[in-house]
Amino acid sequence: MQIKAPRGTYDILPDDAVKWQFAEKTIRRTAERFGYREVRTPVFEHTELFERGVGVTTDIVSKEMYTFKDRSQRSLTLRPEGTAPCVRAFIEHSLYGGVLPVKWYYLGPMFRYDRPQTGRYRQFQQFGVEVFGSDNPFLDAEVILLLINILSELGLTDYEVHLNSVGCPQCRDAYRHKLIEHIRPVREKLCDDCRVRFEQNPLRVLDCKNETCHLAITGYPVLMDHLCSECREHYEIVQAALRENRVTYIHDDNLVRGLDYYTNTAFEVHIPGIGAQSAVGGGGRYNGLVQECGGPDLPGIGFALGMERLLTALDSREGENTLSRGIPVFVAVMGAELEGTGLKLLQELRQAGIECDKDYNQRSPRAQLKYADKLGARLVVLLGEEEAQKGILSIRDMQSGEQISITATEAVSFIQKKLAESGEENAG
Ligand code: AMP
């Protein structure tokens, strides 16, 4: 029986890993420029954390978690998202007593038992940020600007920002009743999930994935008309700050998050060109979450970006293939008795910071040159009997075909200079 990767998972082979490294590096650099620092939390947590921190009525918790009992019969769950673990770590290490706000970013795998399709996997990677300890609306704008800066640093310009405010529990309360009354007469037209949840959680009907639910509730009252003056002002400042920084956004009444700990700003970013799953990231403010998870009453805000969808967007950029690169230097050994000398030379070059390789499969000299070409080598160092005896090396430029001989002692600095001229990274 051939064993394959589990459904909804995938391998990243080295040619693709180069793109991941590029995206990850760019994202980290951008986040750090904004004053965020990396946090790494475990891949599994106590199940209860997600039940409380994500909410038992959400699809994630009710249908999609990888939950298992360990050998001590504790219920553990592979993390389906990164916010609840960050909140847990923030509380567990009493960071609320230190300098605020705390600005974190994370990058790592998440797990959801969802129906796999293009852009949706069971193990996927998210980059996310969380900020704890400030309710300043300019911070909401900064968080959105970070997301947008990441996209433009990656060369992605074709995106749409959707924005809304979900108010606070107080202004939402009056609104909820109105919405329930609007939905009740048409409840038979709703999907099974919405029919059950609309009384308990009517906002969830607004972001249901089923088009029929949307049609059934057309003309519904919008939350924006029910915000209290504080929430309205918060939203206005966020919008003005975005406009001042030339961010174009779409106000979207459908963008809601149906749980009480979500407050004020909610946003989502779509890249329309990447297919049906066009949402690359989303987030918002969650002023009630830290307390919900057992901490003090401190505000928070964050977002998560789906790395697979970002990479799809990167792939669909036209004419962009500067990322695949080979090994810059290859040492061709002309005879088995010189293998040891070859390895010693590699060691010297590598210690000088030069990426290099040699043949390990007894190829003929001709075949080694072909192999060097396949590896994408810019320079080939030819190490023959005669050269070894005289203490010299021949170095061939694979692009121009030009070949020169130099003394072995000059080799490292010569190669470094040549690579620097041709703009190779890692030239030492
Ligand atoms: P969420 O945590 O559900 O708000 O999702 C944030 C982002 O993560 C989405 O916009 C997607 O880009 C990505 N994402 C969520 N679920 C998946 C999944 N199952 N597979 C791939 N990407 C996902």
CSV table of all heavy atoms in Angstrom, one decimal, residues 60 81 112 114 119-122 124 126 257 279-282 304-306 308-309, ligand 1:
chain,number,residue,atom,x,y,z
A,60,ILE,N,-15.7,26.7,13.7
A,60,ILE,CA,-14.4,26.2,14.0
A,60,ILE,C,-14.5,25.2,15.2
A,60,ILE,O,-14.0,24.1,15.1
A,60,ILE,CB,-13.4,27.4,14.4
A,60,ILE,CG1,-13.1,28.2,13.1
A,60,ILE,CG2,-12.1,26.9,15.0
A,60,ILE,CD1,-12.1,29.3,13.3
A,81,GLU,N,-6.5,28.2,15.3
A,81,GLU,CA,-6.2,29.6,15.0
A,81,GLU,C,-5.2,30.1,16.1
A,81,GLU,O,-4.9,29.4,17.0
A,81,GLU,CB,-7.5,30.4,15.1
A,81,GLU,CG,-8.3,30.3,16.4
A,81,GLU,CD,-8.0,31.4,17.3
A,81,GLU,OE1,-8.2,32.6,16.9
A,81,GLU,OE2,-7.6,31.1,18.5
A,112,ARG,N,-7.7,22.7,10.8
A,112,ARG,CA,-9.1,22.7,10.8
A,112,ARG,C,-9.7,21.5,10.0
A,112,ARG,O,-9.2,21.4,8.8
A,112,ARG,CB,-9.7,24.0,10.3
A,112,ARG,CG,-9.4,25.2,11.2
A,112,ARG,CD,-10.0,26.5,10.7
A,112,ARG,NE,-9.4,27.6,11.3
A,112,ARG,CZ,-9.6,28.9,10.9
A,112,ARG,NH1,-10.4,29.2,10.0
A,112,ARG,NH2,-8.9,29.8,11.6
A,114,ASP,N,-11.9,20.8,7.7
A,114,ASP,CA,-12.9,21.5,6.8
A,114,ASP,C,-12.9,20.7,5.5
A,114,ASP,O,-12.0,19.9,5.3
A,114,ASP,CB,-12.4,22.9,6.6
A,114,ASP,CG,-13.5,23.8,6.2
A,114,ASP,OD1,-14.6,23.3,5.8
A,114,ASP,OD2,-13.3,25.1,6.3
A,119,GLY,N,-7.4,26.5,-2.0
A,119,GLY,CA,-7.3,27.6,-1.0
A,119,GLY,C,-7.9,27.2,0.4
A,119,GLY,O,-7.9,28.0,1.3
A,120,ARG,N,-8.3,25.9,0.5
A,120,ARG,CA,-8.7,25.5,1.9
A,120,ARG,C,-8.1,24.1,2.2
A,120,ARG,O,-8.3,23.2,1.5
A,120,ARG,CB,-10.2,25.4,1.9
A,120,ARG,CG,-10.7,25.2,3.4
A,120,ARG,CD,-12.2,25.1,3.5
A,120,ARG,NE,-12.9,26.4,3.2
A,120,ARG,CZ,-14.1,26.5,2.8
A,120,ARG,NH1,-14.9,25.4,2.6
A,120,ARG,NH2,-14.7,27.6,2.6
A,121,TYR,N,-7.4,24.1,3.3
A,121,TYR,CA,-6.6,22.9,3.7
A,121,TYR,C,-7.0,22.6,5.1
A,121,TYR,O,-7.6,23.3,5.8
A,121,TYR,CB,-5.1,23.2,3.5
A,121,TYR,CG,-4.8,23.6,2.1
A,121,TYR,CD1,-4.8,25.0,1.8
A,121,TYR,CD2,-4.6,22.7,1.1
A,121,TYR,CE1,-4.5,25.5,0.5
A,121,TYR,CE2,-4.3,23.2,-0.2
A,121,TYR,CZ,-4.3,24.5,-0.5
A,121,TYR,OH,-4.1,25.0,-1.7
A,122,ARG,N,-6.5,21.4,5.5
A,122,ARG,CA,-6.7,21.0,6.9
A,122,ARG,C,-5.5,21.3,7.7
A,122,ARG,O,-5.7,21.6,8.9
A,122,ARG,CB,-7.0,19.5,6.9
A,122,ARG,CG,-8.4,19.2,6.3
A,122,ARG,CD,-8.8,17.8,6.4
A,122,ARG,NE,-10.2,17.6,6.0
A,122,ARG,CZ,-10.8,16.5,5.7
A,122,ARG,NH1,-10.1,15.4,5.9
A,122,ARG,NH2,-12.1,16.5,5.4
A,124,PHE,N,-2.9,24.4,7.4
A,124,PHE,CA,-2.5,25.6,6.7
A,124,PHE,C,-1.7,26.5,7.5
A,124,PHE,O,-1.6,26.3,8.8
A,124,PHE,CB,-3.8,26.2,6.1
A,124,PHE,CG,-4.7,26.7,7.2
A,124,PHE,CD1,-4.8,28.0,7.6
A,124,PHE,CD2,-5.6,25.8,7.7
A,124,PHE,CE1,-5.7,28.4,8.6
A,124,PHE,CE2,-6.5,26.2,8.7
A,124,PHE,CZ,-6.5,27.5,9.2
A,126,GLN,N,-0.7,30.2,9.0
A,126,GLN,CA,-1.2,31.6,9.1
A,126,GLN,C,0.0,32.5,9.7
A,126,GLN,O,0.7,32.1,10.5
A,126,GLN,CB,-2.3,31.7,10.1
A,126,GLN,CG,-3.7,31.4,9.5
A,126,GLN,CD,-4.8,31.6,10.5
A,126,GLN,OE1,-4.6,31.7,11.7
A,126,GLN,NE2,-6.0,31.7,10.0
A,257,ARG,N,-19.0,39.8,13.2
A,257,ARG,CA,-18.5,38.7,13.9
A,257,ARG,C,-19.4,38.5,15.1
A,257,ARG,O,-19.6,39.5,15.9
A,257,ARG,CB,-17.0,38.9,14.3
A,257,ARG,CG,-16.3,39.6,13.2
A,257,ARG,CD,-14.9,40.0,13.6
A,257,ARG,NE,-14.0,39.0,13.1
A,257,ARG,CZ,-12.8,38.7,13.5
A,257,ARG,NH1,-12.4,39.3,14.6
A,257,ARG,NH2,-12.0,37.9,13.0
A,279,ALA,N,-10.6,35.5,0.3
A,279,ALA,CA,-10.2,36.2,1.5
A,279,ALA,C,-8.8,35.8,1.9
A,279,ALA,O,-8.5,34.6,2.2
A,279,ALA,CB,-11.1,35.9,2.7
A,280,VAL,N,-7.8,36.7,1.9
A,280,VAL,CA,-6.5,36.4,2.3
A,280,VAL,C,-6.3,36.6,3.8
A,280,VAL,O,-5.4,36.0,4.4
A,280,VAL,CB,-5.4,37.0,1.5
A,280,VAL,CG1,-5.3,36.5,0.1
A,280,VAL,CG2,-5.5,38.5,1.5
A,281,GLY,N,-7.1,37.5,4.3
A,281,GLY,CA,-6.9,37.8,5.8
A,281,GLY,C,-8.0,38.5,6.4
A,281,GLY,O,-8.8,39.1,5.6
A,282,GLY,N,-8.1,38.5,7.7
A,282,GLY,CA,-9.1,39.2,8.3
A,282,GLY,C,-8.8,39.3,9.8
A,282,GLY,O,-8.0,38.6,10.3
A,304,ALA,N,-5.3,37.7,11.0
A,304,ALA,CA,-4.6,36.6,10.5
A,304,ALA,C,-4.6,36.5,9.0
A,304,ALA,O,-5.6,36.9,8.4
A,304,ALA,CB,-5.1,35.3,11.1
A,305,LEU,N,-3.5,36.2,8.4
A,305,LEU,CA,-3.3,36.1,7.0
A,305,LEU,C,-3.1,34.6,6.6
A,305,LEU,O,-2.3,34.0,7.2
A,305,LEU,CB,-2.1,36.8,6.6
A,305,LEU,CG,-2.1,38.3,6.1
A,305,LEU,CD1,-0.7,38.8,5.9
A,305,LEU,CD2,-2.9,38.4,4.8
A,306,GLY,N,-3.8,34.2,5.6
A,306,GLY,CA,-3.6,32.8,5.1
A,306,GLY,C,-2.4,32.8,4.2
A,306,GLY,O,-2.5,33.4,3.1
A,308,GLU,N,-1.1,30.3,2.3
A,308,GLU,CA,-1.3,29.6,1.1
A,308,GLU,C,-1.9,30.5,0.0
A,308,GLU,O,-1.5,30.5,-1.1
A,308,GLU,CB,-2.2,28.3,1.2
A,308,GLU,CG,-1.5,27.2,2.0
A,308,GLU,CD,-1.5,27.4,3.5
A,308,GLU,OE1,-2.1,28.4,3.9
A,308,GLU,OE2,-0.9,26.6,4.2
A,309,ARG,N,-3.0,31.2,0.5
A,309,ARG,CA,-3.6,32.1,-0.5
A,309,ARG,C,-2.7,33.3,-0.9
A,309,ARG,O,-2.8,33.7,-2.0
A,309,ARG,CB,-4.9,32.7,0.2
A,309,ARG,CG,-5.9,31.5,0.4
A,309,ARG,CD,-7.2,31.9,1.0
A,309,ARG,NE,-7.9,30.8,1.5
A,309,ARG,CZ,-9.0,30.9,2.2
A,309,ARG,NH1,-9.6,32.0,2.3
A,309,ARG,NH2,-9.6,29.8,2.6
B,1,AMP,P1,-9.8,33.1,10.0
B,1,AMP,O1,-8.8,32.6,11.1
B,1,AMP,O2,-10.9,32.1,9.7
B,1,AMP,O3,-10.3,34.5,10.2
B,1,AMP,O4,-8.9,33.1,8.6
B,1,AMP,C1,-7.9,34.0,8.3
B,1,AMP,C2,-7.3,33.7,7.0
B,1,AMP,O5,-6.7,32.4,7.1
B,1,AMP,C3,-8.3,33.5,5.9
B,1,AMP,O6,-8.6,34.7,5.3
B,1,AMP,C4,-7.6,32.5,5.0
B,1,AMP,O7,-6.7,33.2,4.1
B,1,AMP,C5,-6.8,31.7,5.9
B,1,AMP,N1,-7.5,30.4,6.1
B,1,AMP,C6,-8.5,30.1,7.0
B,1,AMP,N2,-8.9,28.8,7.0
B,1,AMP,C7,-8.1,28.2,6.0
B,1,AMP,C8,-8.0,26.9,5.5
B,1,AMP,N3,-8.8,25.9,5.9
B,1,AMP,N4,-7.1,26.7,4.6
B,1,AMP,C9,-6.3,27.7,4.1
B,1,AMP,N5,-6.4,29.0,4.5
B,1,AMP,C10,-7.3,29.2,5.5
